[in-house]
Coordinates of all heavy atoms in Angstrom, one line a residue:
A1254 N -6.2 4.4 -4.3 CA -6.7 3.5 -5.3 C -6.0 3.7 -6.6 O -5.6 4.8 -6.9 CB -8.2 3.8 -5.5
V1255 N -6.0 2.6 -7.4 CA -5.5 2.7 -8.8 C -6.5 2.0 -9.7 O -7.3 1.2 -9.2 CB -4.1 2.1 -9.0 CG1 -3.0 2.8 -8.2 CG2 -4.1 0.6 -8.8
I1256 N -6.4 2.3 -11.0 CA -7.3 1.6 -11.9 C -6.4 0.9 -13.0 O -5.5 1.5 -13.5 CB -8.3 2.6 -12.6 CG1 -9.3 3.1 -11.5 CG2 -9.0 2.0 -13.8 CD1 -10.0 4.3 -11.9
L1257 N -6.7 -0.4 -13.1 CA -6.0 -1.2 -14.1 C -6.9 -1.4 -15.3 O -8.2 -1.5 -15.1 CB -5.7 -2.6 -13.5 CG -4.8 -2.6 -12.3 CD1 -4.5 -4.0 -11.9 CD2 -3.5 -1.8 -12.5
E1258 N -6.4 -1.3 -16.5 CA -7.2 -1.4 -17.7 C -6.5 -2.3 -18.8 O -5.3 -2.1 -19.0 CB -7.3 0.0 -18.3 CG -8.1 0.2 -19.5 CD -8.3 1.7 -19.9 OE1 -9.2 2.3 -19.5 OE2 -7.4 2.2 -20.6
A1259 N -7.3 -3.2 -19.4 CA -6.7 -4.1 -20.4 C -6.4 -3.3 -21.7 O -7.2 -2.4 -22.0 CB -7.7 -5.2 -20.7
S1260 N -5.3 -3.6 -22.3 CA -5.1 -3.0 -23.6 C -4.5 -4.1 -24.5 O -3.6 -4.8 -24.1 CB -4.1 -1.9 -23.5 OG -3.7 -1.5 -24.8
D1261 N -5.0 -4.3 -25.7 CA -4.5 -5.3 -26.6 C -3.6 -4.7 -27.7 O -3.1 -5.4 -28.5 CB -5.7 -6.0 -27.2 CG -6.5 -6.7 -26.2 OD1 -5.9 -7.3 -25.2 OD2 -7.8 -6.7 -26.2
D1262 N -3.4 -3.4 -27.6 CA -2.4 -2.8 -28.6 C -1.4 -1.9 -28.0 O -0.8 -1.1 -28.7 CB -3.2 -2.1 -29.7 CG -4.3 -1.2 -29.2 OD1 -4.3 -0.9 -27.9 OD2 -5.1 -0.7 -29.9
A1263 N -1.2 -1.9 -26.7 CA -0.2 -1.1 -26.1 C 1.2 -1.6 -26.4 O 1.3 -2.9 -26.6 CB -0.4 -1.0 -24.6
P1264 N 2.2 -0.8 -26.4 CA 3.6 -1.3 -26.6 C 3.9 -2.3 -25.5 O 3.4 -2.2 -24.4 CB 4.5 -0.1 -26.4 CG 3.6 1.1 -26.6 CD 2.2 0.7 -26.3
Q1265 N 4.8 -3.3 -25.8 CA 5.0 -4.4 -24.8 C 5.5 -4.0 -23.4 O 5.2 -4.6 -22.5 CB 6.1 -5.3 -25.5 CG 5.6 -6.7 -25.5 CD 6.7 -7.7 -25.9 OE1 7.8 -7.3 -26.2 NE2 6.4 -9.0 -25.9
D1266 N 6.2 -2.9 -23.4 CA 6.9 -2.5 -22.1 C 6.0 -1.5 -21.3 O 6.5 -0.7 -20.5 CB 8.2 -1.9 -22.5 CG 9.1 -1.8 -21.2 OD1 9.1 -2.7 -20.4 OD2 9.9 -0.8 -21.1
W1267 N 4.7 -1.5 -21.5 CA 3.8 -0.6 -20.7 C 2.9 -1.4 -19.8 O 2.6 -2.6 -20.0 CB 2.9 0.2 -21.7 CG 3.5 1.4 -22.2 CD1 4.4 1.4 -23.2 CD2 3.4 2.7 -21.8 NE1 4.8 2.7 -23.5 CE2 4.2 3.5 -22.6 CE3 2.6 3.4 -20.8 CZ2 4.3 4.9 -22.5 CZ3 2.7 4.8 -20.7 CH2 3.5 5.5 -21.6
G1268 N 2.5 -0.7 -18.7 CA 1.6 -1.3 -17.8 C 2.3 -2.1 -16.7 O 3.5 -1.9 -16.4
V1269 N 1.6 -3.1 -16.1 CA 2.2 -3.9 -15.0 C 3.1 -4.9 -15.7 O 2.6 -5.8 -16.5 CB 1.1 -4.7 -14.2 CG1 1.7 -5.5 -13.1 CG2 0.0 -3.7 -13.7
L1270 N 4.4 -4.8 -15.5 CA 5.3 -5.6 -16.2 C 5.6 -6.9 -15.5 O 5.7 -8.0 -16.1 CB 6.7 -4.9 -16.3 CG 6.6 -3.5 -17.0 CD1 8.0 -2.9 -17.2 CD2 5.9 -3.6 -18.4
S1271 N 5.6 -6.9 -14.1 CA 5.7 -8.1 -13.4 C 5.5 -7.8 -11.9 O 5.8 -6.7 -11.4 CB 7.2 -8.7 -13.5 OG 7.3 -9.9 -12.8
T1272 N 4.9 -8.8 -11.2 CA 4.7 -8.7 -9.8 C 5.2 -10.0 -9.1 O 4.9 -11.1 -9.6 CB 3.2 -8.5 -9.5 OG1 2.8 -7.3 -10.1 CG2 2.9 -8.3 -8.0
V1273 N 5.9 -9.9 -8.0 CA 6.3 -11.1 -7.3 C 5.7 -11.0 -5.9 O 5.7 -10.0 -5.3 CB 7.8 -11.3 -7.2 CG1 8.4 -11.5 -8.6 CG2 8.6 -10.2 -6.5
L1274 N 5.2 -12.2 -5.4 CA 4.6 -12.2 -4.1 C 5.2 -13.3 -3.3 O 5.5 -14.4 -3.8 CB 3.1 -12.5 -4.3 CG 2.3 -11.5 -5.1 CD1 0.9 -12.0 -5.4 CD2 2.3 -10.1 -4.5
H1275 N 5.4 -13.1 -2.0 CA 6.0 -14.1 -1.1 C 5.3 -14.1 0.3 O 4.9 -13.0 0.7 CB 7.5 -13.8 -0.9 CG 8.3 -14.0 -2.1 ND1 8.6 -15.2 -2.7 CD2 8.8 -13.1 -3.0 CE1 9.3 -15.1 -3.8 NE2 9.5 -13.8 -4.0
T1276 N 5.4 -15.2 0.9 CA 4.8 -15.3 2.3 C 5.7 -16.3 3.1 O 6.2 -17.3 2.5 CB 3.4 -15.9 2.3 OG1 2.6 -15.2 1.4 CG2 2.8 -15.9 3.7
D1277 N 6.0 -16.0 4.3 CA 6.7 -17.0 5.2 C 6.0 -17.0 6.6 O 6.3 -16.2 7.4 CB 8.2 -16.7 5.3 CG 8.9 -17.9 6.0 OD1 8.2 -18.6 6.7 OD2 10.1 -18.0 5.7
G1278 N 5.0 -17.9 6.7 CA 4.2 -18.0 7.9 C 5.0 -18.4 9.2 O 4.5 -18.3 10.3
R1279 N 6.3 -18.8 9.1 CA 7.1 -19.1 10.3 C 7.3 -17.8 11.1 O 7.6 -17.9 12.3 CB 8.4 -19.7 9.9 CG 8.3 -21.1 9.4 CD 9.6 -21.6 8.9 NE 10.0 -20.9 7.6 CZ 11.0 -21.2 6.9 NH1 11.8 -22.1 7.2 NH2 11.3 -20.5 5.8
Y1280 N 7.2 -16.7 10.5 CA 7.4 -15.4 11.2 C 6.1 -14.7 11.7 O 6.1 -13.5 11.9 CB 8.2 -14.5 10.3 CG 9.6 -15.0 10.0 CD1 9.9 -15.4 8.7 CD2 10.5 -15.2 11.0 CE1 11.1 -16.0 8.3 CE2 11.8 -15.8 10.6 CZ 12.0 -16.1 9.3 OH 13.2 -16.7 9.0
R1281 N 5.1 -15.5 11.8 CA 3.7 -15.0 12.2 C 3.8 -14.2 13.5 O 3.2 -13.1 13.6 CB 2.8 -16.2 12.4 CG 1.4 -15.8 12.7 CD 1.1 -16.2 14.2 NE -0.2 -15.8 14.6 CZ -0.5 -15.3 15.8 NH1 0.4 -15.1 16.7 NH2 -1.8 -15.0 16.1
D1282 N 4.7 -14.7 14.4 CA 4.7 -14.1 15.7 C 5.5 -12.8 15.9 O 5.5 -12.2 17.0 CB 5.2 -15.1 16.8 CG 4.2 -16.2 17.0 OD1 3.0 -16.0 16.6 OD2 4.6 -17.2 17.6
I1283 N 6.1 -12.3 14.8 CA 6.8 -11.0 15.0 C 5.9 -9.8 14.6 O 6.3 -8.7 14.9 CB 8.2 -11.0 14.2 CG1 8.0 -11.0 12.7 CG2 9.1 -12.1 14.7 CD1 9.4 -10.8 12.0
L1284 N 4.8 -10.1 14.1 CA 3.8 -9.0 13.7 C 2.4 -9.6 13.6 O 2.2 -10.3 12.6 CB 4.3 -8.3 12.4 CG 3.5 -7.1 11.9 CD1 3.3 -6.1 12.9 CD2 4.2 -6.5 10.7
Y1285 N 1.5 -9.3 14.5 CA 0.2 -9.9 14.5 C -0.7 -9.1 15.3 O -0.3 -8.2 16.0 CB 0.3 -11.4 15.0 CG 0.6 -11.5 16.4 CD1 -0.3 -11.7 17.4 CD2 2.0 -11.4 16.8 CE1 0.0 -11.8 18.8 CE2 2.3 -11.5 18.2 CZ 1.4 -11.7 19.1 OH 1.7 -11.8 20.4
V1286 N -2.0 -9.4 15.3 CA -3.0 -8.9 16.3 C -3.4 -10.0 17.2 O -3.6 -11.1 16.8 CB -4.2 -8.1 15.7 CG1 -3.8 -6.9 15.0 CG2 -5.1 -9.0 14.9
D1287 N -3.6 -9.7 18.5 CA -3.9 -10.7 19.5 C -5.4 -10.9 19.6 O -6.0 -10.9 20.7 CB -3.3 -10.3 20.8 CG -3.8 -9.0 21.4 OD1 -4.6 -8.3 20.7 OD2 -3.4 -8.6 22.5
G1288 N -6.1 -11.0 18.5 CA -7.5 -11.3 18.5 C -8.1 -11.6 17.1 O -7.4 -11.4 16.1
G1289 N -9.3 -12.1 17.0 CA -9.9 -12.4 15.8 C -11.2 -13.2 16.0 O -11.4 -13.7 17.1
P1290 N -12.0 -13.4 14.9 CA -13.3 -14.0 15.1 C -13.3 -15.4 15.6 O -14.1 -15.8 16.4 CB -13.9 -14.0 13.6 CG -13.1 -13.0 12.9 CD -11.8 -12.9 13.6
S1291 N -12.2 -16.2 15.2 CA -12.2 -17.6 15.7 C -11.3 -17.9 16.8 O -11.1 -19.0 17.2 CB -11.9 -18.6 14.5 OG -10.5 -18.6 14.3
T1292 N -10.7 -16.8 17.4 CA -9.8 -17.0 18.6 C -10.5 -16.4 19.8 O -11.0 -17.1 20.6 CB -8.4 -16.4 18.3 OG1 -8.5 -15.1 17.8 CG2 -7.6 -17.3 17.3
T1293 N -10.4 -15.1 19.8 CA -11.0 -14.4 21.0 C -12.4 -13.8 20.8 O -13.0 -13.4 21.7 CB -10.1 -13.2 21.3 OG1 -10.0 -12.3 20.2 CG2 -8.6 -13.6 21.7
G1294 N -12.8 -13.7 19.5 CA -14.0 -13.1 19.2 C -14.0 -11.6 19.3 O -15.0 -10.9 19.3
T1295 N -12.7 -11.1 19.4 CA -12.5 -9.6 19.5 C -11.7 -9.2 18.3 O -11.1 -10.1 17.6 CB -11.8 -9.1 20.7 OG1 -10.5 -9.8 20.8 CG2 -12.6 -9.5 22.0
V1296 N -11.5 -7.9 18.1 CA -10.6 -7.4 17.0 C -9.1 -7.6 17.3 O -8.3 -7.9 16.4 CB -11.0 -6.0 16.6 CG1 -10.0 -5.3 15.7 CG2 -12.4 -5.9 16.0
G1297 N -8.8 -7.3 18.5 CA -7.4 -7.5 18.9 C -6.6 -6.2 18.7 O -7.0 -5.2 18.1
H1298 N -5.3 -6.2 19.2 CA -4.4 -5.1 19.1 C -3.1 -5.5 18.4 O -2.7 -6.7 18.6 CB -4.1 -4.5 20.5 CG -5.2 -3.8 21.1 ND1 -5.7 -4.0 22.4 CD2 -6.1 -2.8 20.6 CE1 -6.7 -3.2 22.6 NE2 -7.0 -2.5 21.5

Side-chain angles (χ1 to χ4, degrees):
V1255 298
I1256 291 165
L1257 302 181
E1258 181 176 270
S1260 171
D1261 298 320
D1262 49 10
Q1265 233 190 359
D1266 195 38
W1267 278 78
V1269 183
L1270 304 182
S1271 182
T1272 301
V1273 298
L1274 303 173
H1275 293 285
T1276 308
D1277 192 335
R1279 284 172 296 187
Y1280 299 110
R1281 182 252 179 220
D1282 288 345
I1283 67 173
L1284 181 52
Y1285 65 102
V1286 293
D1287 59 356
S1291 80
T1292 50
T1293 57
T1295 62
V1296 167
H1298 290 131

